[in-house]
Amino acid sequence: MTAPLIIDPDAYRRQSPEVAARFEKLKQRPIILEVDKLRKEFDSAHGSHVAIEEISFQVRRREFVCVLGPSGCGKSTLIRILAGLDFPTGGDVRLDGKTVRGPGSDRGMVFQGYTLFPWLTVKQNVMFGLKVGGKPGHLAESEAREWIALVGLSKFENHYPHQLSGGMKQRVAIARALANNPRILLMDEPFGALDAQTRAQMQSYLMQIWRQIDVTILFITHDLDEAVYLADRILVLGANPGRVMELIENPVPQPRTPEQFQSEPFQALRARLDALIHPPSLHKEDKLPLTRMTVVGDDVI
Amino acid sequence: MRRSPLIPFAPLSPRLRACLGWGSFLLPLMVWCAVSYVPVLWHPMVRIQDRGDITYLQPGQLIDRHTLARENARIEAIGGTPATGKRSNPIFLPAPHEVGTALYRAFKTPPRRANEPWFHESIGHSIRIIFTGFVWSSIIGLPLGILCGVYGSVSRLTEPVVDFIRYMPAPAFGALAVAILGIHDAPKVAIIFIGTFFQQILVVANTTRKMDPSLIEAAQTLGAKPRHLLFKVVLPGIASDLYNDMRILLGWAWTYLVVAEYIGASSGITFFINQQARYRNYDNVFAAILIIGIIGFVTDRILDDLRLAVFPWKSEGKKPLLFRFLVRNPPPPAGDAA
């Protein structure tokens, strides 16, 4: 998709009255997740490497926040720390005001690699969190059925993951994470492995689910269009070391539709993200030092 | 156009697979038949029918072909009648049909002495030794191997010394086992145990380590505690691979059988083989060796079939034959996209 020329680089800051009113309302909502001066260093044989220098931000209830950044910006490290799978070197992560000290069912996670348990059927996968949480079998089963129905896979509840397509597997993973009623759903490039068509479909499913369920979503991606299409706010990270470049309020009105891709606010924001993630200075590095190896007159037409 | 079969890892058609599979059995059998039934191929001996004037020969006796020719030439030179006979193979290479009948006859023939076991009793005894040794090894080796795979500390404390001990051949412990455990079944079981146990720990630990770590993380984000991770994620996650390991280890245990049965008072199939060799019934010896192979192979095939029923997600679309009744309501094939 080619972006039309945006004259004003600050166009993405202009919000229509409805969008502005919506953000005002969002700001009234209680804070669910607070990331405070987060820092992460990894020790390696060559000394320590700073993955995240300092990241701070807040997520409010039922908000959809996308984290966007180039590779090496520490976005996966960030979400792993939020999930409790990694531990910060400094700073604090607070969920509902309580510091996070490890993984827990109050934060659901959807991974890029599906991570469904291959030995369990769709239904048993969705029941997993409920059962380790101590819910009796028949209750867990009926709840799992509801979640499977929500992602539209009732026909497949007795299938094993290897019998499903990538998009179906990721829907099961979403149902499995939501079944625990998490306060926040962490999604680590969940649609990155899917083909473009399935990805668009999954984005639409996710928006519908988000509207129906009381859940806050933090979504990691490196796809600009995906971020603009899904997010209320976009946290743009810079690389080496990871740090916040900008936290942007998305001027595209809700509810989102694919038609909005061509709209002015969409393109304005997209241009801004593009400028942040691919600064003009970087384009020079894209040029290969090639010499011409074809016969003169045999040019690419 | 067809893909060249010389490209590495080129797939085989199901028909070719089946043909080659049968062929791998038929080919050696055909070679055996050819050598047994076509005299010109080998047949280095002659079975005497009429001894002529060579007085020291007996009818039915086997004698080397060239020796006989020499003796006949000598007798003919002095005007005697040469011996005649049928070319045949040495006594240690019976023909397929002889082994076939022996296989059947061995079960029907009562032991020569009252205190000796029947053939089927010998087999039963051998299977009991293998089974006992293997079960004892697994009772300790499986949990220990899994713990080694899961926890680095257990692994570091266990695996270096196990790696050392496994290079000591199990039969080397034979004399020691007899001294400690007596001459009957116990030392034989001990040899099977030693032969299996140390390999088992390492194999099981390796399989456990191959578990996909992202599944552990996914389970943690779903609220699983360490005990859940062990019993509801690691164990079911590695179960199908462990099952295959156990199949292979059981095969190893079989290879230790004959050595184990030599220790102390010879028993089981080994005792049968030795007795029959002493009586020069080599067809029975072949029958007994074949029986060991058949039992091992059939067990393995049955266990493989059971695997398809117990671990349907690892079956790659294959259906069990014998254990079809264990498969509960097979799901319909996936149809929808996305």
Side-chain angles (χ1 to χ4, degrees):
Chain A
M1 196 168 307
T2 49
L5 270 180
I6 305 284
I7 312 294
D8 176 8
D10 277 340
Y12 74 96
R13 288 187 201 276
R14 283 199 293 273
Q15 295 175 354
S16 68
E18 300 87 64
V19 171
R22 201 170 159 270
F23 277 113
E24 273 314 304
K25 255 203 251 169
L26 254 178
K27 279 171 198 149
Q28 311 296 316
R29 290 247 171 102
I31 292 169
I32 273 203
L33 181 77
E34 192 170 12
V35 176
D36 189 13
K37 295 200 181 95
L38 198 72
R39 182 181 173 81
K40 176 72 183 177
E41 290 166 28
F42 287 107
D43 291 321
S44 71
H46 316 289
S48 80
H49 158 77
V50 181
I52 296 176
E53 192 172 48
E54 189 187 307
I55 293 180
S56 300
F57 65 96
Q58 296 165 344
V59 181
R60 292 174 188 276
R61 199 171 86 77
R62 292 207 68 185
E63 202 179 2
F64 198 130
V65 174
C66 274
V67 180
L68 189 69
S71 55
C73 70
K75 52 189 193 295
S76 278
T77 309
L78 169 68
I79 205 165
R80 286 177 58 82
I81 291 173
L82 299 185
L85 297 171
D86 252 330
F87 297 94
T89 318
D92 216 6
V93 175
R94 287 187 289 275
L95 187 76
D96 288 323
K98 285 196 287 281
T99 300
V100 164
R101 301 196 187 283
S105 59
D106 51 359
R107 284 148 292 141
M109 177 117 166
V110 176
F111 302 79
Q112 181 176 359
Y114 315 125
T115 64
L116 297 179
F117 304 119
W119 59 92
L120 298 180
T121 62
V122 166
K123 188 171 69 190
Q124 291 166 331
N125 261 288
V126 178
M127 284 166 67
F128 183 91
L130 299 167
K131 287 184 87 176
V132 298
K135 197 154 271 189
H138 61 282
L139 270 180
E141 185 167 346
S142 64
E143 274 187 39
R145 281 223 171 86
E146 285 173 32
W147 288 107
I148 294 167
L150 180 94
V151 296
L153 290 175
S154 294
K155 270 198 290 179
F156 298 93
E157 63 171 34
N158 289 321
H159 279 55
Y160 287 100
H162 73 89
Q163 297 170 301
L164 306 179
S165 68
M168 290 160 93
K169 279 187 216 173
Q170 206 54 298
R171 272 144 77 189
V172 177
I174 292 170
R176 184 178 69 171
L178 289 175
N180 271 348
N181 280 316
R183 299 286 290 153
I184 187 163
L185 183 62
L186 307 168
M187 306 183 85
D188 186 5
E189 302 201 28
F191 308 146
L194 304 175
D195 61 86
Q197 209 175 347
T198 311
R199 191 182 320 157
Q201 206 175 0
M202 291 297 293
Q203 289 163 353
S204 151
Y205 284 140
L206 183 63
M207 296 298 273
Q208 294 170 42
I209 291 168
W210 175 56
R211 300 192 158 277
Q212 301 301 319
I213 310 290
D214 173 12
V215 70
T216 310
I217 297 180
L218 188 96
F219 189 105
I220 284 193
T221 181
H222 61 255
D223 179 340
L224 309 186
D225 291 314
E226 185 167 67
V228 182
Y229 181 54
L230 294 174
D232 284 324
R233 287 190 299 156
I234 300 172
L235 180 73
V236 186
L237 299 183
N240 301 318
R243 66 200 182 281
V244 177
M245 294 182 80
E246 193 172 350
L247 184 53
I248 301 174
E249 292 182 349
N250 188 342
V252 184
Q254 292 270 14
R256 304 273 161 72
T257 60
E259 289 76 49
Q260 290 169 323
F261 275 90
Q262 306 301 336
S263 72
E264 206 227 301
F266 196 106
Q267 291 301 335
L269 177 54
R270 200 189 180 289
R272 172 62 184 167
L273 295 176
D274 204 25
L276 279 173
I277 291 185
H278 310 114
S281 64
L282 277 180
H283 285 306
K284 281 186 209 134
E285 292 167 21
D286 291 349
K287 289 256 161 44
L288 294 172
L290 292 181
T291 42
R292 191 188 169 95
M293 293 169 81
T294 60
V295 187
V296 177
D298 190 20
D299 285 335
V300 174
I301 299 166
Chain B
M1 283 296 282
R2 284 181 57 188
R3 187 205 303 256
S4 158
L6 294 180
I7 292 172
F9 313 113
L12 294 177
S13 74
R15 229 187 101 185
L16 188 58
R17 274 182 62 87
C19 286
L20 294 176
W22 286 108
S24 78
F25 281 94
L26 284 178
L27 225 56
L29 188 63
M30 276 159 60
V31 171
W32 185 17
C33 285
V35 170
S36 301
Y37 299 130
V38 184
V40 289
L41 281 181
W42 193 36
H43 286 64
M45 312 294 275
V46 173
R47 188 175 292 280
I48 302 298
Q49 281 165 333
D50 175 8
R51 65 175 173 181
D53 286 333
I54 307 175
T55 48
Y56 61 86
L57 289 178
Q58 296 294 322
Q61 186 185 344
L62 279 176
I63 183 169
D64 181 74
R65 190 149 59 92
H66 302 292
T67 316
L68 182 66
R70 216 165 43 239
E71 292 298 296
N72 275 347
R74 200 168 53 81
I75 282 289
E76 278 175 325
I78 56 172
T81 330
T84 54
K86 237 173 88 184
R87 278 180 65 173
S88 66
N89 275 332
I91 190 161
F92 57 79
L93 184 68
H97 74 272
E98 290 168 327
V99 173
T101 22
L103 207 50
Y104 168 78
R105 212 178 47 226
F107 287 99
K108 293 276 171 195
T109 316
R112 288 213 178 176
R113 284 186 232 138
N115 63 343
E116 285 176 9
W118 284 68
F119 186 47
H120 66 266
E121 289 172 328
S122 297
I123 294 172
H125 190 264
S126 292
I127 292 176
R128 211 158 51 240
I129 297 274
I130 295 264
F131 190 74
T132 319
F134 189 73
V135 165
W136 274 111
S137 168
S138 300
I139 286 175
I140 312 172
L142 263 184
L144 191 55
I146 292 170
L147 286 176
C148 280
V150 173
Y151 299 115
S153 51
V154 183
S155 162
R156 286 310 296 162
L157 192 61
T158 312
E159 287 188 51
V161 71
V162 168
D163 237 338
F164 172 58
I165 298 175
R166 88 191 161 102
Y167 280 100
M168 306 174 184
F173 293 91
L176 205 57
V178 170
I180 299 170
L181 297 166
I183 61 162
H184 294 293
D185 286 354
K188 306 177 207 297
V189 172
I191 294 303
I192 302 279
F193 178 90
I194 293 169
T196 315
F197 180 67
F198 298 101
Q199 311 286 348
Q200 191 170 34
I201 290 179
L202 298 180
V203 169
V204 170
N206 260 334
T207 295
T208 309
R209 274 191 282 265
K210 272 189 275 173
M211 168 99 199
D212 178 2
S214 68
L215 294 181
I216 305 284
E217 295 190 334
Q220 281 178 285
T221 66
L222 291 167
K225 300 279 167 282
R227 77 193 140 93
H228 297 130
L229 294 178
L230 197 56
F231 290 104
K232 298 196 125 192
V233 184
V234 174
L235 285 188
I238 60 173
S240 70
D241 288 341
L242 276 190
Y243 185 89
N244 266 337
D245 288 348
M246 297 295 271
R247 254 175 63 204
I248 291 163
L249 285 162
L250 187 60
W252 287 359
W254 270 101
T255 62
Y256 279 108
L257 173 69
V258 171
V259 179
E261 285 183 332
Y262 263 118
I263 286 164
S266 178
S267 70
I269 294 186
T270 311
F271 173 77
F272 180 85
I273 291 175
N274 286 340
Q275 284 303 90
Q276 296 306 315
R278 201 164 293 157
Y279 304 141
R280 296 175 73 77
N281 293 336
Y282 288 102
D283 46 355
N284 282 351
V285 171
F286 270 82
I289 294 173
L290 266 182
I291 278 284
I292 298 181
I294 290 170
I295 294 174
F297 185 73
V298 169
T299 317
D300 190 71
R301 291 295 88 199
I302 292 175
L303 289 178
D304 189 50
D305 196 58
L306 184 61
R307 175 183 71 91
L308 297 178
V310 179
F311 306 109
W313 69 93
K314 272 279 175 102
S315 60
E316 286 132 18
K318 278 187 254 169
K319 289 265 180 304
L321 286 170
L322 291 171
F323 295 96
R324 204 173 298 173
F325 64 93
L326 281 177
V327 182
R328 286 162 301 170
N329 50 0
D336 280 30

